[in-house]
Amino acid sequence: MNGTVLRKEIQERIDEIKEADILVGIPSYNNARTIAHVVKAVHAGFAKYFPDKKCVLVNSDGGSTDGTMSVVQDATIEDSLSILLHHRIVPAFKITTPYHGIPGKGSAFRTIFEIADALNVKACAVVDSDLRSITPEWVELLVKPVLDGGFDYIAPLYHRHKYDGTITNSIVYPLTRALYGRRVRQPIGGDFGFSGNLAKFYLTKDVWNTDVARYGIDIWMTTTAIANDFRVCQSFLGAKIHDPKDPGADLSAMLHQVVGATFDLMDTYSGKWKAVKGSEPTLTCGFQYAVGLEPVSVNLDRMIDKFRLGVNELKDIWREFLPEDVMKFLYKAGKQPKKKFHMPDDIWAEIIYGFAIAAHKKMINKEHLLKSLTPLYIGRVASFVIETWESSAEEVEDRIEKLCITFENKKDFLMDGWDR
Amino acid sequence: MGNLLQRLTIEPFERFFDKVIQFLPTLITSGFILIAGIVIGVFLKAVFLKLARAVKLDAVSERSGIIDLMRKGGIKDSVSVFLSKVIAWITIAVFAVISMRELQIPAVERLFENLLLYLPNVFAAALILLFGYLLGNFFGRTALIASVNAGIKLSGLISRFVKFTVFILAGTMALEQLGIGRGTIIIAFAIVFGGIVLALAIAFGLGGRDIAKAYLEKKLTEKEEKDEIEHL
């Protein structure tokens, strides 16, 4: 492992704290607007649910220019008595530090893992800095299963808008479930709990110069935990409401990093997933309840136009690795009227498996391959939106379940192509 | 009389015969060198073929697009066969030059020396063309995917423009390397390239004035309807 060197002042702070029971990490980059709420919720969570434990909050920052780090330093619970039933016995510590390495969420997490390792913590959690719906209960729900239940990895379970998390719903969840046989509904949810042992295990892996250092970190953490037989459960956290992501963030780059990391993991754990058939549910902690979510606007015309443009211009690239029947469907779908536009589950599963096989066999340049997936993904999302426009949250969930079963049933297609 | 006849007929023949006798060992040595060159060339060809097949050179070249380039150039052999032939012929050519030098004929020596000095330029030009082709295709494809993802309708045109610009640049560099019309080629390239850019600027400026105006107005005054879909 190539460890990063923690800054001198952080090392001094660690020496001062010596050891801790719980660590909650918050990666950030220009989140001055929202991070104070997250810090307060975490502190309230420490005070309310773990008053007798030694707790540390770590903010790992990517060089914010909007004063995020000072907001973290200054954030305190103004009226703790109105929130808490207990006063803290042991004070909570706060560490804010810029991280080293490739700019990205994964590098921020690496610094958090290193501090957790240095403090020899028992349980850790990481939460996003742009969350608006986080409550003190999130800390309990992400940490308690580690301390009291003996679990190593706690994935989040949220109620999200039916068109939120479309990469998760259409690619990452169905694919990881079919591959590794575990139904972890939000494998790239962004807010996770994990044991100190798992943090140490993560640090033994030399992945910090890959897509894992960026958006690939979430799927890497989840898959590493599942594939290495760590005890996994999920906690219901309620609604996930957060600031809109940076509008300048490029969808194809995001897709490239997440899907690229997922495909890399397929190579790493091919021995594991080839032996898996079907899937089994994952234990869920927390009390589930319905939440109201704001509607979102979707520009369907533009999405279908992008899909059509992709079919017209990128078909020669896709023809190199996608099956003939999929290509025939794409030519036809590219000419369908917008109202009748539909991409069936089995075609979508074959597309994703076809891309995975092409990445495994290095059939074309990996960046070209993954970025050429964008128009197909947009087409699939458009088809999903048309199909579920009138559907309730439960109906949409059933629809996603159907897609997952298709991915599981089509796994032989992947296995055949992988070894051929 | 008899003396004169001997000087006119027999002595030239004797001198010629002496020269032939003197030249014969050189000719035989030269012939041997050429035959050795052919044998070594064939041997190296066989060795290279085995090595290329062991490292799966053909599969790699298939993926990198070199095979397309060769087919477009009318070469039907696989990359390993083609390269093995090139190696064999280079070996034979080198030995042929050495054998010719062995003959010590000044005109032939000069000719082969010049040819030998020019050969590196040919190789360099061939390499430039090969890399130009590969890079042109790579950048063309990068531009195509990026512009499709950005929703630009003229993606195909942009991709071809990028690809052919790299091809033309590589062609110009290769010709310059070969010393063919050095100044002319660079000036021609600059004129053609500058001309294309100017033509495009004028075409867009005049033909697309209204579109540009509408686009700028839309960008500066209206808010584009954005998706609120959260992908992650």
Side-chain angles (χ1 to χ4, degrees):
Chain A
M1 180 199 73
N2 301 319
T4 60
V5 181
L6 293 171
R7 288 165 156 256
K8 195 169 163 254
E9 63 270 25
I10 300 305
Q11 198 55 60
E12 283 168 6
R13 188 92 173 102
I14 288 168
D15 293 341
E16 184 190 320
I17 300 169
K18 287 187 182 74
E19 279 204 333
D21 299 306
I22 298 165
L23 179 146
V24 174
I26 309 173
S28 65
Y29 179 66
N30 286 343
N31 300 105
R33 234 152 38 108
T34 50
I35 201 163
H37 169 70
V38 180
V39 172
K40 285 175 190 177
V42 171
H43 267 294
F46 286 157
K48 191 171 175 182
Y49 296 103
F50 306 103
D52 52 346
K53 302 278 187 208
K54 198 169 175 183
C55 302
V56 182
L57 183 147
V58 177
N59 168 227
S60 179
D61 188 76
S64 298
T65 50
D66 65 346
T68 298
M69 284 172 72
S70 33
V71 171
V72 174
Q73 287 290 6
D74 299 341
T76 48
I77 311 166
E78 297 90 3
D79 185 9
S80 57
L81 276 179
S82 66
I83 303 169
L84 312 172
L85 297 175
H86 305 281
H87 289 290
R88 283 202 62 82
I89 299 165
V90 185
F93 298 90
K94 206 187 276 179
I95 296 175
T96 54
T97 176
Y99 61 77
H100 293 276
I102 296 171
K105 190 177 173 182
S107 298
F109 274 27
R110 185 190 187 187
T111 299
I112 293 167
F113 298 153
E114 290 191 330
I115 295 173
D117 181 35
L119 290 171
N120 206 19
V121 297
K122 292 185 184 73
C124 311
V126 280
V127 290
D128 280 343
S129 50
D130 60 352
L131 286 165
R132 293 204 175 275
S133 56
I134 185 171
T135 62
E137 284 65 42
W138 283 36
V139 178
E140 186 211 9
L141 288 161
L142 292 175
V143 169
K144 265 246 162 85
V146 176
L147 292 178
D148 298 346
F151 286 96
D152 287 295
Y153 189 72
I154 293 85
L157 185 65
Y158 320 101
H159 277 315
R160 303 178 76 171
H161 188 275
K162 60 184 175 182
Y163 305 139
D164 239 7
T166 41
I167 294 181
T168 306
N169 294 345
S170 57
I171 304 176
V172 182
Y173 172 50
L175 184 58
T176 44
R177 170 173 155 171
L179 288 173
Y180 305 102
R182 291 297 297 267
R183 293 177 207 163
V184 176
R185 182 64 184 83
Q186 296 289 341
I188 54 171
D191 312 297
F192 305 105
F194 46 94
S195 63
N197 284 340
L198 186 53
K200 284 185 207 298
F201 184 76
Y202 286 148
L203 283 173
T204 62
K205 304 286 174 186
D206 186 16
V207 291
W208 308 105
N209 290 317
T210 66
D211 284 335
V212 170
R214 303 185 182 92
Y215 282 119
I217 182 72
D218 299 328
I219 188 60
W220 179 79
M221 285 172 69
T222 305
T223 307
T224 304
I226 296 172
N228 290 286
D229 299 323
F230 283 93
R231 288 192 69 205
V232 176
C233 72
Q234 45 189 6
S235 271
F236 181 72
L237 303 176
K240 178 166 183 168
I241 300 165
H242 54 88
D243 256 18
K245 288 266 185 301
D246 173 12
D250 177 17
L251 166 65
S252 68
M254 224 151 52
L255 199 62
H256 171 218
Q257 287 165 29
V258 174
V259 179
T262 312
F263 287 171
D264 286 347
L265 287 159
M266 285 174 76
D267 274 325
T268 310
Y269 296 114
S270 60
K272 280 266 174 192
W273 62 257
K274 278 182 190 169
V276 173
K277 272 199 190 309
S279 64
E280 56 185 60
T282 301
L283 179 83
T284 303
C285 310
F287 180 71
Q288 296 207 40
Y289 51 91
V291 287
L293 292 159
E294 292 166 24
V296 298
S297 78
V298 181
N299 189 337
L300 261 179
D301 283 350
R302 195 173 56 185
M303 291 170 89
I304 296 173
D305 283 344
K306 278 196 173 179
F307 168 77
R308 285 177 176 170
L309 181 66
V311 173
N312 282 336
E313 299 292 349
L314 303 180
K315 57 181 180 296
D316 291 338
I317 297 177
W318 299 334
R319 216 189 341 241
E320 288 179 36
F321 53 87
L322 286 182
E324 194 58 39
D325 59 325
V326 173
M327 288 311 298
K328 273 185 190 156
F329 165 81
L330 291 176
Y331 298 142
K332 227 173 96 187
K335 288 170 188 144
Q336 267 176 346
K338 284 180 182 172
K339 280 182 185 167
K340 286 188 179 172
F341 183 76
H342 176 60
M343 191 185 285
D345 289 353
D346 55 344
I347 291 285
W348 178 238
E350 282 189 22
I351 288 173
I352 294 299
Y353 285 153
F355 270 76
I357 293 164
H360 165 64
K361 292 188 171 172
K362 300 183 174 58
M363 289 168 90
I364 66 168
N365 173 278
K366 195 181 168 199
E367 188 164 345
H368 286 173
L369 175 81
L370 293 169
K371 287 196 169 168
S372 78
L373 177 63
T374 312
L376 293 172
Y377 161 75
I378 291 173
R380 169 65 196 181
V381 174
S383 165
F384 183 79
V385 170
I386 293 169
E387 210 181 323
T388 58
W389 192 248
E390 304 286 331
S391 307
S392 65
E394 289 76 26
E395 285 165 341
V396 169
E397 209 50 47
D398 289 344
R399 187 66 199 75
I400 293 167
E401 179 64 23
K402 227 178 91 193
L403 175 67
C404 291
I405 290 166
T406 307
F407 266 77
E408 287 177 18
N409 292 339
K410 283 255 168 200
K411 198 171 167 182
D412 286 342
F413 171 85
L414 172 70
M415 307 258 267
D416 290 346
W418 192 270
D419 294 321
R420 199 185 302 142
Chain B
M1 186 68 189
N3 206 359
L4 183 71
L5 192 72
Q6 185 166 353
R7 279 217 317 267
L8 283 174
T9 56
I10 297 169
E11 277 183 11
F13 271 110
E14 276 177 356
R15 281 201 301 274
F16 175 71
F17 186 71
D18 283 348
K19 278 190 178 174
V20 168
I21 293 291
Q22 264 181 351
F23 186 65
L24 207 59
T26 319
L27 187 68
I28 292 167
T29 314
S30 173
F32 270 123
I33 292 171
L34 188 63
I35 291 165
I38 294 168
V39 171
I40 293 171
V42 171
F43 174 73
L44 285 180
K45 181 184 167 187
V47 170
F48 180 81
L49 255 179
K50 278 204 165 181
L51 262 175
R53 278 172 190 162
V55 298
K56 293 181 178 162
L57 183 69
D58 289 336
V60 175
S61 53
E62 184 98 45
R63 284 202 292 269
S64 63
I66 297 172
I67 206 90
D68 291 338
L69 170 71
M70 287 170 57
R71 276 180 198 145
K72 276 177 195 164
I75 300 163
K76 287 186 178 132
D77 289 330
S78 65
V79 172
S80 54
V81 170
F82 176 72
L83 283 178
S84 67
K85 279 183 183 174
V86 169
I87 287 170
W89 278 111
I90 288 172
T91 314
I92 292 168
V94 168
F95 275 82
V97 170
I98 297 167
S99 79
M100 288 295 176
R101 279 182 71 106
E102 195 59 32
L103 293 175
Q104 289 167 352
I105 304 165
V108 175
E109 266 183 54
R110 269 200 304 278
L111 184 74
F112 277 98
E113 222 160 72
N114 286 341
L115 188 72
L116 208 64
L117 286 172
Y118 193 66
L119 267 181
N121 291 331
V122 176
F123 284 122
L127 269 180
I128 290 169
L129 282 178
L130 178 69
F131 279 110
Y133 177 80
L134 294 176
L135 283 178
N137 276 336
F138 183 84
F139 287 128
R141 193 182 257 186
T142 305
L144 178 69
I145 294 169
S147 47
V148 164
N149 287 343
I152 299 168
K153 292 219 162 52
L154 296 172
S155 304
L157 193 70
I158 292 169
S159 161
R160 281 191 288 279
F161 178 73
V162 170
K163 188 158 79 177
F164 288 115
T165 304
V166 178
F167 285 174
I168 292 169
L169 187 70
T172 312
M173 285 166 70
L175 285 174
E176 206 205 333
Q177 186 66 37
L178 292 173
I180 300 169
R182 255 183 195 146
T184 321
I185 292 287
I186 294 171
I187 292 165
F189 175 74
I191 291 171
V192 169
F193 194 72
I196 291 170
V197 172
L198 186 68
L200 284 174
I202 292 170
F204 282 119
L206 295 176
R209 197 167 49 186
D210 295 336
I211 298 169
K213 190 182 164 201
Y215 176 80
L216 284 173
E217 274 175 359
K218 194 178 176 190
K219 279 280 161 195
L220 295 173
T221 55
E222 290 172 33
K223 272 194 175 172
E224 199 186 353
E225 194 192 338
K226 282 203 162 35
D227 283 328
E228 288 174 351
I229 286 183
E230 191 61 59
H231 296 279
L232 281 181

